[in-house]
Structure formats: C-alpha cells, structure tokens
Amino acid sequence: MSARPWWQSAALYQIYPWSFQDSDGDGIGDLRGIENRLDYLVELGVDAIWLSPIFPSPMADFGYDVADYCGIDPRFGTLADFDSLLASAHSRGLKLLLDFVPNHSSDQHPWFVESRASRDNPKRDWYIWQDAAPDGGPPNNWISDFGGSAWTWDATTGQYYYHAFLKEQPDLNWRNPAVRAAMLDVLRFWFARGVDGFRIDVLWHIVKHAGFPDNPPNPDWDPATGEMNRVFQLHSTDQPEVHDIAADMRAIADAFGREGDDRVLIGEIYLPVERLMRYYGLAGEGVHLPFNFQLIDAPWNARGLARMIADYEAALPPGGWPNWVLGNHDRPRSATKRGRAQARVAAMLLLTLRGTPTLYYGDELGMENGHIPPERVRDPRELREPGLGLGRDPVRTPMPWDDSAQGGFTTGEPWLPLGGDWPRRNVAAELEDPASMLALHHALLRLRRMTPALARGSIRLIEADGDVLAYEREQDGERLVVALNLGSAPAPVTLPPGVALLSTLPGPPSDADPTLLRPDEGLILKVDTDA
C-alpha cells in the first residue's frame, strides 16, 4: 500500500443519482446521464465521485432498501452501463465509490422473503426476530429513525421483526456468520469489478445488543426533533462487536488495493467525536474515514468552530486522517443554512481544512433547499412525521444545468421539482460569471490541487478575535494562511506578510486588505517566508 494514499489529498463529490442527469426522459437521473457529465466533474476539479444507492430496489426509501446487492436498478440502467461509467471515470482520472447498505435490506430481498416464510426456514436467523412482550406488544421500546416502533408484527410466523428505519427495511442479523460472509462477498464482488471504495451506510447501527434491553428515555426530548429522539439509542447502535466487522471490511479493501491505487472505506457514523474515533480502529484496522459531520450542525461561530477543529484534530488516533462534510442527501443545504454570502465562506473552510472534503452535488452552485408542494412530497420520513421539517426532498432536487426546459436535467417531468431559482442559478450561467459560486469552487479546487500545503499539509490555528477564524497550513516550508470572516461587518485581523491568493468576494485578490477582512470574506494568503 502507498505511504500517502490518493484519498488523503482528494476532494470527493457525492452524486444523488435520481437528481444528477436523466438521459432517457423518464424524469429520473441515471448512469448514462452521470457518464455524460463526467467532463464537468473533471473541470470542476474533484478527484472521486460517490454514488448514492443504485442497486435494484422497490424504492420505499429511494434505494436504501436493497433487493439485490449485486445488480443495478433498471431505473438507473444496467450492469453494462455501470461498467461503462466506471471505465469512463477511470479514463479521466476519477475514482468511483459506491454506497454499501449493510444494516438492512428490502423486505422484498429473497433473503427476507425466505426468512419470514416460516420459523424453521434456513434464513430465519438472517434477520432479527423476537417474541412479543408479555402484553403482546413489541419486544422493547426501540424506535425507528422514521418514527414509531422499530418492530413490526408478522402474523404468519407470530413474531416481531426489527427495522431501524421503515418496516420495508428489515435489519440484517450481523451476529449470524452466514450473513457476515454473504455481505462481505458483496464488497468483494464490486471491488473485483473495479470500484475504488465504499461509503458504508449507518455503520454504527449494524450490531444490536444481544439481550435487546429497553433504551433509556430521553428526559429532554423535544417532539419537534422527531420521535426517534424520544429515547437514547444506547442498545440499538454502536455496539462493541461492530469494530470486528469493520476490521473485516478493511481487510478486504486493503487486499484489493495496490501500490498507488488504494481502496477506501468511508463510514457513515453520527456519534460524538470521542466515540467516532474508535471507528478508525486501534491500529488502523477500522474504516479509513469515519465521516465527520460536525460542520453540518455546528453553530456558525468563529470561536466555537476553532474549538471544534482543535478538539477534532487532538482526538485523531495515530495515523488517523481527518475529513470534513458540509452537507449531504439527508441534511439542509449549506446555502440555506448559512445564507448565500456565508455559504461561500463555508466552501473555503471546507476546502482548506486539513483532511479529505466531501462536496454534495449542487453545493458548488450554491443550490438551496427546494420548495416541495405537498402533492409532490416523496420522502417517507416527511410522510410519516409531517410538519416537522425533517423531510429530505428539498435537498434532493434536480441539478440545473442550463436555463432550458427542466434545467437541462430531463426532457420529461422531473421526479422532484427544480429549485425555484434554477433559471438563474445553473451550471451554464455560473460558468459565464467569474463571481459565481461555481467559479469560486473552481478556484478553490485548483488551488488545493496545486498547493501541497492545502492538500496534505499540517494545520495550526491562529489566535483571532470576534468573527474571525484563522489557521495556517504548512508543507515543506510552504505556508498559507486562511482567514475567514464569519460575520457581516468588517473584521480586523493580524496576518503575516504575504500575497493574497484568493478571496471569496468578487474582484482580484490583490484588492483585499490583509489587515481588514471585508464583511462575509474569506481570504487565502501565501506567507512570505523571507519576511
């Protein structure tokens, strides 16, 4: 394995296949559409793409209910289409990652069809079945992440089965060695086909407490946050046995890796930092990158962010490589959460912190949450807990490519409506505007690729006051300072002598005053090492 794997200096780009590019007019994005847009991604400057699930599925949860782990859903194309996409990506120097969904399958997966057929079926123990409580109700108080009990009664066999999400998504029993072997073979199947890695869905969920005790109630539960938060998921997630499974996955990834061509595993894990770090493994035998989601929900406060960055860096185990995320297919878009001006500052933060950044499709345009009329809602979470603002449809709206009908996404009716400002905020328009969010991302990614200090260098926080967050990146004597004004007023800052390379505000960076950040400005300065 290479001493510095490719993913340490890479910028990743998440594609939600439903919404990226439709090639056949059915209103749903597909693999051929993605292949047709690869040159855009190369020009953008990302290094790898991650596809949300593309496997055969009834789509109760838009592909996170998998009915066949080794196929392609016809909505997206065929295995031949996938092979073509993979080859085209590789020919352009792009890596390709898939979404692995190991916690649960579809209730229409042949394994579950067999499992629920009878109590003595050979695959009965491939899923989690329990007798009713003495009162006939669910075995315990565990709650689905989508609200309601996480247990569903099966009248045919007279037991409950467990599902952390929808009842159409029964959880696999990873304590069964046969399940473990079958799912690890899925990784081998796709690695052998040439994929470069996986994002592992809800990795911290996949093992449950063997005794199924009640989860402790949350005394501070706010119903507005969703019913899942009514209890602490102490026994239904983050069990010690999960780390042995992660080690098995890591061994497979490492076995398929070659010098200069490592495979990577990225774990979706929503846990506090001190528990997140365990997923690196005690000696690097865990996933390569346990996703760090802190920026998504962090209060937009300079002093708080500085403490968060310092604490995260200090918590990393020896050899652990950091990573950062601003948004994804489940969470509000950065431009909606922070406003358009600060979304530019946030983009500079994401792409200049030490570690591997992941961009969510459309964030490079400054896409905001879309408006979804009630009759167009598709997300089961919104349908199950309406009115709480937990629905994910608004962050999954189609990518606008130009100002033609349906934004160039499809020639048909898009599966979700486009965002309201797509005639002005689209790829073609922003490519023509040197002050656009897309132009800023081009510049940031170009600078990151050309500058070892940004790609792999060390980080040192610089003491600052008020709304200013500042830090230095250094590699082999090359020093860059990043100074970010998280406020809407001018902010004084003390920076070393140097040359301004890039500002988030329009105009040449040489116009920036290194002693005073303008409102909503982020600045990258190359330090004069001779001064």
Side-chain angles (χ1 to χ4, degrees), residues 1-7 95 196 257-263:
M1 304 296 288
S2 61
R4 300 298 298 265
W6 63 267
W7 44 266
K95 305 288 188 179
D196 300 288
R258 299 186 302 275
E259 181 73 24
D261 190 23
D262 310 76
R263 304 297 192 262

Side-chain angles (χ1 to χ4, degrees), residues 154-173:
D154 180 65
T156 300
T157 58
Q159 282 187 314
Y160 283 90
Y161 68 88
Y162 178 73
H163 49 91
F165 299 92
L166 298 175
K167 64 180 177 62
E168 294 87 356
Q169 296 169 286
D171 279 35
L172 286 154
N173 177 17

Side-chain angles (χ1 to χ4, degrees), residues 260-523:
D261 190 23
D262 310 76
R263 304 297 192 262
V264 64
L265 298 179
I266 306 172
E268 184 196 24
I269 305 154
Y270 282 95
L271 287 174
V273 167
E274 65 274 8
R275 292 163 66 189
L276 178 70
M277 294 301 156
R278 296 171 55 204
Y279 285 81
Y280 281 103
L282 295 176
E285 75 277 18
V287 295
H288 301 87
L289 298 175
F291 256 144
N292 171 24
F293 297 114
Q294 293 182 92
L295 281 181
I296 294 179
D297 291 324
W300 207 239
N301 171 280
R303 304 283 66 75
L305 287 176
R307 286 192 298 273
M308 183 195 75
I309 294 165
D311 291 347
Y312 175 69
E313 284 279 350
L316 287 164
W321 185 251
N323 70 95
W324 299 93
V325 182
L326 274 177
N328 60 32
H329 60 293
D330 291 330
R331 310 304 292 273
R333 284 195 178 270
S334 180
T336 295
K337 193 174 182 69
R338 299 175 182 91
R340 292 182 180 178
Q342 281 295 313
R344 297 173 69 92
V345 177
M348 181 171 282
L349 175 66
L350 175 70
L351 294 174
T352 59
L353 282 171
R354 189 177 84 101
T356 302
T358 299
L359 288 164
Y360 183 50
Y361 86 97
D363 278 357
E364 75 273 20
L365 304 178
M367 279 178 66
E368 300 177 12
N369 290 3
H371 172 69
I372 311 298
E375 68 275 10
R376 296 291 301 273
V377 171
R378 303 286 299 271
D379 181 18
R381 186 165 193 188
E382 176 68 19
L383 294 171
R384 286 170 64 95
E385 296 187 278
L388 298 183
L390 302 176
R392 301 162 297 176
D393 289 339
V395 307
R396 300 174 176 183
T397 55
M399 182 80 165
W401 294 98
D402 53 43
D403 63 0
S404 65
Q406 310 301 356
F409 164 70
T410 181
T411 57
E413 177 70 16
W415 76 285
L416 282 176
L418 276 77
D421 62 352
W422 66 265
R424 300 183 309 279
R425 191 176 299 278
N426 60 66
V427 171
E430 294 202 19
L431 283 173
E432 297 298 318
D433 179 4
S436 70
M437 183 69 135
L438 183 56
L440 175 63
H441 276 80
H442 277 196
L444 283 166
L445 286 162
R446 185 183 310 114
L447 185 60
R448 177 184 171 87
R449 179 166 287 182
M450 294 171 55
T451 312
L454 285 181
R456 288 180 169 173
S458 62
I459 187 169
R460 180 181 65 85
L461 288 163
I462 297 174
E463 187 173 348
D465 297 319
D467 289 325
V468 175
L469 173 66
Y471 46 92
E472 180 183 273
R473 302 295 311 279
E474 191 275 335
Q475 174 86 4
D476 297 331
E478 180 184 51
R479 295 170 59 202
L480 273 70
V481 166
V482 181
L484 308 172
N485 183 357
L486 275 59
S488 56
V493 60
T494 302
L495 298 176
V499 177
L501 297 178
L502 182 62
S503 170
T504 58
L505 298 182
S510 58
D511 291 346
D513 182 349
T515 66
L516 187 72
L517 290 174
R518 292 172 287 179
D520 304 306
E521 180 176 31
L523 179 67

